[in-house]
Amino acid sequence: MKHKAVAASFLLLLPLTACGGTAAAGGDGSTVTVTVGYQSKTINTVTAGTLLRSLGLFEKELGALHDGHTYKVDWQDYATGAPITAQMTAGKIDIGSMGDFPLLINAARGKQLGRPTHLVSVTGYNLRGGLNTIVTALDSRIDSLADLKGKKVSTSIGSAADGTLVRALRRAGVDPDKGIGKLNQQPAVGASALSAGSVDALSQFVAWPGLLAYQGKAKALYDGAQLDLPTFHGVTVREDFAEKRPAVLEAFLKAQAKTTDYLDAHPVSAAEKVAEATGLPAEVVYLYNGAHGISTFDPAVKPRLVSALKQDVSILRSAKLTGDVDVDAFVDDRYVRKALGAAYAERLAASPPPAASEVWTKGARQTRTFKSPRELLGHLAGHKAGIRAAYVPDATTGTLWFADRAVWVADGERLLPFVAPATAKAYTAGHPGAHVITYADALRRAS
């Protein structure tokens, strides 16, 4: 009886409003706090995080429920998916967004700890894997993955970028466990380590490789799209929260879809909003999230992405980060199907926009596209002072990159850009007469 009395007294001391989608008694209804975990600088999750928060669309959808509750959204920002999973399995985060490999760990931990989670929608994806890139310092002599043998490489173990590193090294004949010195570091720490020269290469997800290239601190060594395997980020939710508050989850997914529509219709404005919220340069945000960016946004859970997720399980299992994961049980698109209604089938069938060369002129509210990289270079040669950023797609993988950071190849009259030396060399090897040239030479030829 004494223990019961103490417990009752403790309960009376608890705050009226708690996280985890719980409700507290109020004078004219109740207050429900929905806790959302997101990664502001992982900018291909912006439709479920940074941009969604900036536009206030989730709060608007919650306000339209008119179910007698007052809703409050607690936005919690993290650098990677791991702490979001930890908070979800502790019952402290209701909805989270993260990459494909962290999603699998999320599924495994949730099941292991008796707090199952489900993948309910997709944020940004790239069907070839271009969201992850391996970079080296500008003055590095490392020219191929084989050159990484015996070198120190920074990555975030268990992330999609780590998965890209493992797969790429295996294809190059390098043991990803014994052939390199792998350092498990947060993206920002790894970026600093690369700049300081304490690591030889960095394998990371968006937006770190593009940011370092834009800042002139790194160059691409390997374009993740060379793997030709889809990579994506998505939204995961606690099963108990989804079952208790399905209307709230559907409101989130409706808001995510509206945020996606906003990004597609106003890519420059969206990039600037994300830049303002994160401190990242808008030019870097646009590289990934622009009209022809590396990332395509769509909440539909495409079968091709689910298939790729199943292939990822073996990578995590070999690293002893998870055991087997029942992907089919983890994926649950019922809520997003209901939230989007008839539009879901259309989104499910949608394809990424074709690659294109773009120029972002200073002061412009939209970019200008060109039919070919050569035409873009010709424009740049005559308008050097008025250009904010210029983007070109890799001639073989389609991955967008900064024009002045690309590897350029001259093939007759054609001027072709590549993200990394490897893709450029592969092209020149198969095209007699084609050869690598400098960016300055490419500009001169185009003008």
Side-chain angles (χ1 to χ4, degrees):
M1 290 296 292
K2 180 179 179 181
H3 290 310
K4 291 181 180 180
V6 171
S9 299
F10 176 75
L11 289 173
L12 290 174
L13 295 175
L14 290 175
L16 289 178
T17 302
C19 63
T22 58
D28 57 351
S30 59
T31 298
V32 175
T33 298
V34 183
T35 307
V36 179
Y38 72 111
Q39 304 170 63
S40 63
K41 286 186 168 59
T42 306
I43 55 173
N44 60 320
T45 65
V46 295
T47 54
T50 307
L51 185 58
L52 173 62
R53 180 179 185 180
S54 176
L55 295 174
L57 293 176
F58 184 30
E59 288 82 354
K60 290 180 181 178
E61 290 292 332
L62 289 173
L65 291 180
H66 300 300
D67 57 3
H69 296 304
T70 298
Y71 288 97
K72 174 186 175 183
V73 182
D74 179 14
W75 297 91
Q76 297 187 5
D77 188 8
Y78 297 89
T80 63
I84 297 177
T85 289
Q87 293 293 84
M88 290 187 77
T89 53
K92 296 181 179 180
I93 286 180
D94 305 311
I95 302 170
S97 55
M98 59 192 71
D100 39 16
F101 280 77
L103 280 168
L104 289 171
I105 295 175
N106 182 272
R109 295 288 186 272
K111 182 178 181 180
Q112 178 186 17
L113 298 174
R115 287 186 177 271
T117 58
H118 292 285
L119 170 66
V120 292
S121 70
V122 171
T123 57
Y125 69 90
N126 183 283
L127 292 178
R128 291 185 62 102
L131 296 173
N132 308 305
T133 312
I134 303 173
V135 298
T136 59
L138 279 182
D139 59 355
S140 174
R141 294 185 179 181
I142 295 173
D143 202 34
S144 68
L145 291 176
D147 294 338
L148 289 179
K149 287 183 179 179
K151 305 295 185 181
K152 293 180 180 179
V153 183
S154 173
T155 191
S156 300
I157 292 179
S159 72
D162 183 31
T164 291
L165 177 64
V166 169
R167 283 180 165 132
L169 288 174
R170 285 178 177 174
R171 288 192 182 186
V174 179
D175 188 323
D177 297 315
K178 300 178 181 179
I180 64 169
K182 185 189 291 188
L183 282 72
N184 182 22
Q185 298 177 322
Q186 293 286 326
V189 175
S192 296
L194 184 69
S195 297
S198 56
V199 298
D200 301 288
L202 171 74
S203 181
Q204 274 301 345
F205 46 80
V206 305
W208 294 96
L211 174 63
L212 293 173
Y214 176 77
Q215 293 174 332
K217 296 179 179 179
K219 59 184 178 182
L221 174 68
Y222 186 84
D223 173 6
Q226 292 175 241
L227 291 173
D228 199 17
L229 291 171
T231 185
F232 72 98
H233 282 62
V235 175
T236 178
V237 65
R238 293 201 336 264
E239 183 181 276
D240 59 343
F241 176 82
E243 292 177 347
K244 182 179 180 180
R245 303 199 182 278
V248 173
L249 177 56
E250 288 169 21
F252 181 91
L253 296 171
K254 287 179 180 178
Q256 182 195 344
K258 290 180 179 179
T259 304
T260 303
D261 292 340
Y262 178 89
L263 184 148
D264 290 341
H266 310 284
V268 169
S269 176
E272 291 178 333
K273 285 182 179 296
V274 172
E276 182 180 359
T278 62
L280 291 168
E283 297 86 347
V284 174
V285 178
Y286 194 87
L287 171 72
Y288 292 99
N289 296 3
H292 301 275
I294 301 174
S295 184
T296 299
F297 288 87
D298 195 333
V301 185
K302 299 178 184 294
R304 188 170 173 183
L305 300 180
V306 175
S307 177
L309 199 61
K310 292 178 179 179
Q311 295 181 57
D312 295 340
V313 174
S314 62
I315 302 294
L316 289 174
R317 191 171 56 229
S318 65
K320 298 181 180 179
L321 294 174
T322 68
D324 287 326
V325 179
D326 188 344
V327 173
D328 289 325
F330 176 55
V331 175
D332 187 353
D333 66 352
R334 291 177 299 161
Y335 298 98
V336 70
R337 283 181 179 274
K338 184 177 179 181
L340 301 186
Y344 188 77
E346 182 179 344
R347 289 182 181 271
L348 200 62
S351 299
S357 300
E358 295 182 77
V359 165
W360 187 354
T361 304
K362 291 179 181 178
R365 303 308 305 165
Q366 61 183 21
T367 60
R368 178 179 174 182
T369 59
F370 295 83
K371 293 181 180 179
S372 70
R374 185 185 183 97
E375 287 188 12
L376 176 141
L377 289 174
H379 178 81
L380 293 179
H383 302 79
K384 294 181 180 179
I387 303 302
R388 185 167 178 177
Y391 310 91
V392 287
D394 184 291
T396 52
T397 67
T399 302
L400 206 66
W401 206 239
F402 295 108
D404 59 346
R405 305 301 189 212
V407 180
W408 286 91
V409 168
D411 185 5
E413 292 297 312
R414 301 177 71 197
L415 297 172
L416 305 173
F418 298 86
V419 172
T423 48
K425 287 181 179 179
Y427 181 88
T428 56
H431 296 78
H435 59 284
V436 174
I437 60 174
T438 64
Y439 175 61
D441 192 16
L443 282 174
R444 182 187 60 79
R445 291 174 183 237
S447 63

